Amino acid sequence: MTRRWLRYTAALALLVGLPACGRSLSSATSAAPAALSPTAGLVATTPAGTKQVTSLTWAVYRDVNSLDPAFAFDYPENTAISLMCESLLRQQPDGSLAPGLATVTYPSSTSIVFTIRKGAAFWDGHPVTPADVVYSLDRQMNPATGGFYGQGFDRVKSIAATGADQVTITLKQPDYWLPGELASMGGVIIEKAFAEKQGKNYGTPAGSIMCTGAYKLKSWTPGVGVTAVAGKNYWDHSVHPMVQQIVLKGVPDPTSLTSGMLTGAIQGSYYFGLSTLSQLQKSKNVKVYQGPGWETDAFVVAANSGPLANVKVRQALSLALNRKSIISQVYDGAALMPRWLANPGAFGYGTQVFNTAYNGSAVMNQNLAAAKKLVQQAGAAGQTITLGTSSQIPSIAAETGAYQQAAEAIGLKVKLDSVSADNYINFFTSASARKGVDGWITVNYGDYADPAALLATVVLPNGSQNYDSYSNTQLTSLLQQARGTADLNARAALVAKAEQLAAKDLPWIPNAQPTNVLMMNDSITGATGSFAYMFAPWANTLGGK
């Protein structure tokens, strides 16, 4: 799970104030009727481009570190790999799953058959074979690879070629979460012979990659960027890339990014947490979109003893928190008020079931009187909580300040354990670093559009992010049932009940639900507007207006 810790910390380091992009705070916090999507008005896709573009530069917040899907842990890597490589299944902009390199059938509850789509081929013209699929998935599962996605395969018994164009995954027990994982980095297919020849150089600047996407790797020079060009013989003939070349360039300085967007030197970005976004919105040369996000800004509870180990104190702290201030100061309005841990942008299936349950749940509004009463009932008045923070990360400092203010307002004392920006990650990775720390701030998301993708890591007894040894047998049972439930609406109903329980127990405390921000030069259009860009081709319809 190192990939999660790294990318969350990197994301938070950039969150220095995200201006609003057409979503007002009032609309984000008001109650919605059951039939209305909580993400209504957000843009999942942008109109397809209609004109050829010779070349454009797309900014990511730093240089790409790897083009190997097994080691894709952060925004730059995902943006680059999803531009050029394809997974077995594909996440649509609305979060639903569709065929990617393969179609899928379920002969039984413990058998999943993938049929490779006709004509699917790598850039070198070699067809995608079952051997390539088995190799790619086995490589993700193999601990010797040292990749980040092995845990998603924990119910897999075997993966084997079972036909000239088929691969069968046999499961230890039913697993309807696995297709979502196979529509993410864990399901990206690479060419076996090419990867074996490359060895340790695969996916590094010293080597190359071999994928199947509409854009193929031309060059990768650290400090300069990753250059992808439209393939002339892309296997899916329904896709016709309009941009001939895309350069992914690391731009860590927000001032440089802003200048590049305003002058046209940079044509697009999913840049996270840009404090100058309002300036870009006012420019006639830049178009800013706000799409459904899958991320949750939350307070990680890590207390196994003390005040925050008491559910009433967690509930009190949540009630005392001024979330409107966080959304205004940290996100400048570009976030929704939470009702669950899940961001409603992650409702990729069973949408009406999720929408109805979510809209029927209470908004996490501030109520100091009720919070003070809960602290008194818990007998926690005057007790101390310790918050992990970093004064070097503005968003962390701001949100920690909001929590300190909330805690002190309801009779708790607060101690801060402040570390450097570089060491903030240690709260996630080191038991000794977080010893005595009751919690800290994170921006977190699952790898596919299912509320369970994040929730399971937080609340299951063996969850990779269950730092406070949280356990609720009813919640665990609901998630395990959901994982084994084929019917989408029935699965959504189970996950919704689990989210409602988590919203009461608060193993993590949700702070805000960020939206996905996309900016493009006004002369181009067609990029994916939702957070799905992180896991599926986002530039296949990109082009000139």
Side-chain angles (χ1 to χ4, degrees):
M1 298 303 292
T2 305
R3 63 185 171 91
R4 294 183 185 274
W5 297 321
L6 288 171
R7 69 190 182 193
Y8 301 155
T9 304
L12 285 165
L14 285 167
L15 259 175
V16 294
L18 185 59
C21 316
R23 181 81 173 189
S24 68
L25 185 60
S26 60
S27 66
T29 58
S30 60
L36 180 64
S37 168
T39 59
L42 300 180
V43 178
T45 59
T46 60
T50 58
K51 293 183 178 181
Q52 293 285 330
V53 176
T54 302
S55 181
L56 60 79
T57 297
W58 198 273
V60 289
Y61 82 87
R62 60 160 172 78
D63 284 350
V64 172
N65 285 335
S66 177
L67 292 178
D68 186 335
F71 303 109
F73 62 81
D74 198 5
Y75 297 90
E77 287 71 39
N78 280 46
T79 304
I81 294 171
S82 63
L83 171 67
M84 298 181 286
C85 302
E86 297 176 304
S87 50
L88 280 178
L89 301 177
R90 180 172 294 180
Q91 298 190 41
Q92 301 288 74
D94 66 356
S96 61
L97 298 185
L101 287 172
T103 58
V104 61
T105 56
Y106 298 84
S108 73
S109 62
T110 55
S111 180
I112 309 176
V113 175
F114 293 92
T115 301
I116 299 169
R117 291 174 66 186
K118 186 177 180 180
F122 295 102
W123 301 325
D124 60 8
H126 296 161
V128 177
T129 68
D132 296 311
V133 174
V134 173
Y135 171 81
S136 299
L137 301 187
D138 279 348
R139 184 171 177 270
Q140 292 278 10
M141 290 176 58
N142 190 348
T145 304
F148 303 139
Y149 294 88
Q151 186 177 10
F153 295 82
D154 61 359
R155 288 193 177 185
V156 173
K157 182 178 181 181
S158 65
I159 303 174
T162 51
D165 60 353
Q166 287 188 343
V167 170
T168 298
I169 296 181
T170 302
L171 302 168
K172 302 170 188 175
Q173 52 186 312
D175 187 1
Y176 294 97
W177 290 351
L178 182 59
E181 295 286 357
L182 297 181
S184 182
M185 290 294 134
V188 169
I189 304 304
I190 62 177
E191 188 175 35
K192 177 183 178 181
F194 187 93
E196 287 181 333
K197 186 176 180 179
Q198 290 276 310
K200 292 184 178 180
N201 286 334
Y202 188 85
T204 73
S208 189
I209 62 173
M210 187 55 63
C211 288
T212 61
Y215 286 89
K216 64 180 183 179
L217 179 65
K218 177 182 179 182
S219 65
W220 177 15
T221 305
V224 177
V226 172
T227 300
V229 294
K232 295 181 179 179
N233 299 302
Y234 178 49
W235 66 271
D236 186 348
H237 301 302
S238 67
V239 177
H240 304 282
M242 304 294 291
V243 181
Q244 298 308 302
Q245 177 174 281
I246 299 176
V247 180
L248 294 178
K249 181 179 181 180
V251 185
D253 177 26
T255 302
S256 297
L257 176 76
T258 303
S259 175
M261 289 296 303
L262 291 173
T263 61
I266 297 172
Q267 286 77 43
S269 182
Y270 292 103
Y271 211 91
F272 191 80
L274 184 64
S275 58
T276 57
L277 196 56
S278 58
Q279 180 182 355
L280 294 172
Q281 285 180 279
K282 297 173 183 177
S283 171
K284 64 180 181 180
N285 297 324
V286 180
K287 180 71 174 177
V288 177
Y289 299 89
Q290 192 175 171
W294 301 357
E295 300 164 293
T296 290
D297 181 320
F299 178 82
V300 177
V301 178
N304 290 290
S305 61
L308 284 184
N310 187 318
V311 64
K312 287 187 177 181
V313 178
R314 296 197 299 272
Q315 291 170 344
L317 190 58
S318 178
L319 282 168
L321 185 64
N322 187 343
R323 291 180 173 84
K324 290 183 179 181
S325 176
I326 291 174
I327 290 173
S328 175
Q329 292 183 27
V330 177
Y331 292 94
D332 203 5
L336 312 180
M337 281 282 283
R339 301 169 189 253
W340 295 352
L341 180 64
N343 189 318
F347 298 166
Y349 66 96
T351 307
Q352 281 295 86
V353 173
F354 278 129
N355 287 348
T356 299
Y358 186 84
N359 291 336
S361 301
V363 177
M364 294 181 176
N365 285 318
Q366 189 178 36
N367 188 331
L368 282 174
K372 290 176 182 178
K373 188 176 296 184
L374 284 170
V375 169
Q376 293 296 327
Q377 291 174 0
Q383 295 185 12
T384 300
I385 62 174
T386 301
L387 308 181
T389 189
S390 175
S391 61
Q392 295 178 3
I393 307 176
S395 65
I396 295 294
E399 292 196 39
T400 302
Y403 267 93
Q404 181 173 6
Q405 184 179 21
E408 292 175 347
I410 56 178
L412 298 172
K413 295 180 180 179
V414 175
K415 178 183 177 182
L416 300 182
D417 185 346
S418 187
V419 299
S420 69
D422 288 342
N423 287 335
Y424 191 79
I425 192 174
N426 294 334
F427 291 132
F428 295 88
T429 60
S430 169
S432 60
R434 61 177 175 266
K435 185 177 180 180
V437 174
D438 293 311
W440 60 88
I441 303 297
T442 185
V443 175
N444 222 302
Y445 56 89
D447 289 328
Y448 51 99
D450 183 344
L454 173 58
L455 183 63
T457 71
V458 174
V459 302
L460 292 182
N462 63 343
S464 57
Q465 302 186 99
N466 187 344
Y467 297 106
D468 59 346
S469 302
Y470 172 81
S471 181
N472 181 316
T473 55
Q474 183 184 3
L475 206 161
T476 297
S477 176
L478 286 167
L479 287 178
Q480 298 293 11
Q481 288 180 63
R483 189 173 185 178
T485 299
D487 183 83
L488 297 177
N489 288 330
R491 191 190 317 159
L494 291 165
V495 174
K497 289 180 182 178
E499 284 283 355
Q500 289 168 334
L501 278 176
K504 294 179 180 178
D505 281 3
L506 296 173
W508 282 15
I509 302 175
N511 306 324
Q513 308 292 12
T515 54
N516 191 61
V517 175
L518 161 68
M519 65 187 85
M520 291 186 288
N521 186 280
D522 191 55
S523 66
I524 64 171
T525 183
T528 299
S530 75
F531 200 70
Y533 85 89
M534 285 277 285
F535 311 105
W538 51 268
N540 279 5
T541 61
L542 190 64
K545 288 185 179 179

